[in-house]
């Protein structure tokens, strides 16, 4: 009925599911909504402009989906449980990497990295390359987005002039590289990105993504069918730490969760 925006609805669901700005390990999670980061102009009336919201990031391409299904069926020797993904779509390091150009997230990122910035080529430097990594290229990257991508242009600029390093191709890291349709303007990127979130296409398909992240496709047979299962440690409500007597095992699980993230509570 358009009585509430998609942004407000997603924030409400995140809050119900226990996500909070106060906890980087359970930070609000938002979807990638676009798949077009190369066009000169953004066409929000073209369905091909958008990401497939019915599929998790690990299943955005046929080949990638096949590989993750193969992993699930084979249960690689180095995995301790059957799952599609051993990394998560939202974690403290993902949040801090997106917001690394702003304090206090700069210090948070460095502390998580052992006191310094990461190798420049692994830093968040381009919206397009991050999408390509998370949707196609990197089997250990299935990250989604954070709310700031839809309202905060400042996180895309290096106003603090941090020395973030130099990539192998000689590019010095500074402001985040934006898609051509943003014309190099962070405010235009946020404006168009927010318009994409509130578009007719996303409004008509957003419930599919909500099923994956907050709903019935989180776990069980529906999650397996949707290629949407994660390591058991990520399901916080399924792990009863009070019954684990071995302190080493308990600390290992807690470390795993703090490093790799948690599935939101099912709503």
């Amino acid at each position: 009925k358009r009585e509430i925006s998609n942004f407000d609805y997603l924030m409400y669901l995140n809050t119900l599911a226990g996500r909070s700005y106060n906890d980087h390990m359970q930070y609000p999670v938002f979807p990638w909504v676009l798949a077009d980061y190369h066009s000169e102009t953004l066409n929000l009336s073209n369905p091909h402009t958008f990401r497939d919201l019915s599929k998790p990031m690990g299943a955005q391409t046929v080949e990638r989906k096949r590989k993750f299904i193969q992993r699930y069926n084979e249960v690689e020797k180095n995995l301790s449980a059957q799952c599609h993904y051993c990394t998560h779509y939202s974690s403290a390091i993902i949040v801090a990497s997106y917001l690394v150009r702003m304090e206090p997230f700069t210090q948070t990122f460095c502390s998580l990295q052992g006191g310094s910035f990461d190798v420049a080529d692994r830093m968040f430097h381009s919206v397009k390359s991050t999408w390509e990594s998370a949707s196609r290229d990197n089997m250990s990257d299935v990250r989604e987005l954070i709310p700031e991508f839809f309202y905060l242009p400042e996180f895309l600029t290096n106003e603090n002039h941090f020395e973030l390093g130099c990539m192998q191709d000689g590019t010095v890291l500074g402001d985040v590289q934006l898609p051509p349709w943003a014309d190099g303007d962070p405010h235009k990127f946020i404006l168009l990105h927010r318009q994409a979130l509130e578009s007719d296409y996303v409004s008509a398909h957003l419930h599919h993504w909500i099923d994956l992240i907050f709903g019935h496709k989180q776990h069980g047979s529906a999650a397996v069918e949707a290629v949407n299962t994660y390591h058991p440690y990520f399901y916080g409500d399924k792990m009863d730490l009070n019954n684990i007597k071995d302190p080493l095992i308990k600390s290992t699980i807690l470390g795993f969760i703090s490093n790799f993230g948690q599935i939101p509570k099912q709503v």
Side-chain angles (χ1 to χ4, degrees):
K1 294 180 179 179
R2 304 301 175 111
E3 293 176 4
I4 186 173
S5 69
N6 290 335
F7 182 91
D8 287 339
Y9 184 46
L10 287 171
M11 284 303 301
Y12 182 68
L13 288 176
N14 269 285
T15 302
L16 281 180
R19 314 297 284 191
S20 168
Y21 282 119
N22 299 320
D23 185 350
H24 296 165
M25 289 185 290
Q26 298 191 77
Y27 209 75
V29 55
F30 268 58
W32 288 95
V33 293
L34 293 173
D36 182 354
Y37 297 97
H38 55 270
S39 297
E40 294 294 329
T41 57
L42 193 62
N43 183 0
L44 297 181
S45 62
N46 182 356
H48 295 293
T49 298
F50 298 92
R51 166 255 182 105
D52 188 340
L53 287 159
S54 69
K55 295 181 175 67
M57 289 303 291
Q60 289 297 307
T61 69
V62 174
E63 177 63 16
R64 189 164 149 102
K65 179 180 178 180
R66 183 190 64 77
K67 288 180 179 178
F68 279 121
I69 292 174
Q70 183 179 6
R71 170 189 282 182
Y72 180 88
N73 291 333
E74 290 179 353
V75 188
E76 296 175 1
K77 295 176 182 177
N78 62 335
L79 302 182
S80 58
Q82 190 175 36
C83 60
H84 293 109
Y85 314 115
C86 294
T87 53
H88 200 251
Y89 50 76
S90 176
S91 66
I93 193 66
I94 289 172
V95 172
S97 68
Y98 280 145
L99 301 174
V100 69
R101 290 163 178 79
M102 298 175 60
E103 291 288 16
F105 298 97
T106 311
Q107 294 304 314
T108 301
F109 181 84
C110 289
S111 65
L112 290 170
Q113 282 292 131
S116 62
F117 292 120
D118 198 358
V119 175
D121 287 83
R122 290 202 298 258
M123 296 278 285
F124 172 52
H125 65 276
S126 160
V127 178
K128 178 177 181 284
S129 65
T130 302
W131 159 255
E132 290 171 348
S133 171
S135 66
R136 187 188 70 198
D137 296 339
N138 188 344
M139 289 292 284
S140 62
D141 183 3
V142 292
R143 73 184 70 187
E144 292 279 6
L145 298 183
I146 53 176
E148 284 81 353
F149 273 85
F150 300 94
Y151 69 83
L152 190 69
E154 287 79 9
F155 87 96
L156 297 165
T157 60
N158 187 20
E159 289 295 323
N160 291 314
H161 304 292
F162 292 120
E163 294 185 5
L164 303 172
C166 183
M167 298 173 64
Q168 288 184 352
D169 64 3
T171 303
V172 177
L173 259 61
D175 297 346
V176 176
Q177 296 172 12
L178 302 176
W181 46 259
D183 295 328
D185 182 351
H187 290 83
K188 184 173 183 179
F189 172 83
I190 294 294
L191 175 66
L192 293 175
H193 205 215
R194 183 65 171 265
Q195 288 177 0
L197 179 65
E198 305 299 340
S199 66
D200 289 339
Y201 180 90
V202 173
S203 296
H205 295 86
L206 187 58
H207 62 285
H208 295 304
W209 183 83
I210 291 170
D211 286 342
L212 294 168
I213 306 300
F214 301 108
H216 75 286
K217 292 182 180 179
Q218 263 194 357
H219 48 72
S221 58
V224 175
E225 187 176 338
V227 194
N228 193 44
T229 66
Y230 296 81
H231 193 285
Y233 290 172
F234 294 148
Y235 297 87
D237 55 344
K238 300 289 187 291
M239 296 296 303
D240 189 357
L241 292 173
N242 294 324
N243 287 332
I244 298 176
K245 303 303 180 186
D246 189 323
L248 182 61
I249 294 176
K250 182 180 288 190
S251 66
T252 300
I253 294 174
L254 287 172
F256 197 94
I257 293 169
S258 65
N259 282 316
F260 295 107
Q262 285 179 275
I263 301 289
K265 293 177 182 176
Q266 191 174 17
V267 297

